[in-house]
Amino acid sequence: MAPAKILEHYQNMQSLNFKGRDVLRIDEFNKQELVYLLNSAIQLKQMQKSGLIFEPLKGKTLGMIFDKASTRTRVSFEVGMYQLGGMAMFMSGKELQLGRGEPISDTAKVLSRYLDAIMIRTFSHSYVEELAEHASIPIINGLTDRFHPCQALADMQTILEHKGTLEGVKLAYIGDGNNVATSLVLAAITLGVDVRLGTPVGYEMEQEVVDKAKQLAELSGATLLITNDPQAAVKDADVIYTDVWTSMGFEAENEVRLQAFADYQVNEELISLADPEYLFMHCLPAHRGEEVTAGVIDGEHSVIIDQAENRLHAQKAILAAVV
Ligand code: CP
Ligand code: NVA
């Protein structure tokens, strides 16, 4: 895209009122805003690939607090800030005074005087809400026990790029009704993707998110099927998505979960029910032989590496919009 076009795009953005906003849940953004962010992500990707320098965040600093492990989130945010002309600073939660009991409210106020935004990956979602309440700078959720909004935006970008559209695409999510699932479902339904959710009994998606997804479906016209039958969820699906059976923080439940999820593996038999042109997606990291077979995740329908790459572009779109 020519520089004049890029400027026009970013001027239009101002009218959408992104500046200063937190990104705690993907459903804080309406369809128009999500479409805007997706277009930005796709344009920023093209610009980066054609070597165009675009540095709207020159002189800005993103603080990144991690209470859990990360490969993609950490590296893509750090690289993304650099490419936008700013810098990112890694902070381990337990090495901050927070880890020794300093109140989150004091931490939020102090960090707001040094930084221009904070990305945080932690356990409790309410902890991130508290950080956002006391901070005067945007707080971006890099994964909590309930939500993973940045992942969901990158997922929508990946489906759009591979399928050429989102409206009417049939997306099956199989497995744990976890943080990745909640955000995926909320983003997909907002954007008109038909969602089928196949989760085991006892591992369904939380009711508040189901209720919100139903409300959003009325607005977008998307359909939502919630079932405990993985075959019913996958039938004729254009996209099959799964995630780990044991998320970070749930390790003590691993043995019980392996049994509960045994019939929910995305394998050759299950995918035979999908549309022949199906895409396989996974937020990664994956456990081959558990939630997905090696044949499926490493097969020709898998777009997991494009999906991981899009974390960079989608997050650059978010950063350029809110910081
Ligand atoms: N998908 C994802 O968030 O990956 P990381 O845990 O490596 O950041
Ligand atoms: N559901 C997984 C996603 C990791 C990116 C977890 O929370 O561990």
Side-chain angles (χ1 to χ4, degrees), residues 4 12 24 53 131 147 172 245 306:
N12 289 342
L24 306 190
I53 307 281
L131 181 70
F147 299 107
W245 292 342
D306 291 342

Side-chain angles (χ1 to χ4, degrees), residues 69-73 121 148 151 248 283-285 311:
S70 171
T71 296
R72 281 145 288 271
T73 305
R121 165 169 288 197
H148 200 0
Q151 180 71 52
M248 290 181 277
C283 63
L284 303 180
R311 293 292 303 281

Side-chain angles (χ1 to χ4, degrees), residues 68 121 143 148 178-180 243-244 246-248 283-285:
K68 289 175 176 168
R121 165 169 288 197
L143 180 90
H148 200 0
N178 63 14
N179 43 12
V180 168
D243 185 18
V244 291
T246 304
S247 285
M248 290 181 277
C283 63
L284 303 180

Side-chain angles (χ1 to χ4, degrees), residues 130-146:
E130 194 184 340
L131 181 70
E133 189 188 322
H134 295 283
S136 57
I137 55 177
I139 303 298
I140 302 172
N141 177 1
L143 180 90
T144 62
D145 55 359
R146 294 184 63 203

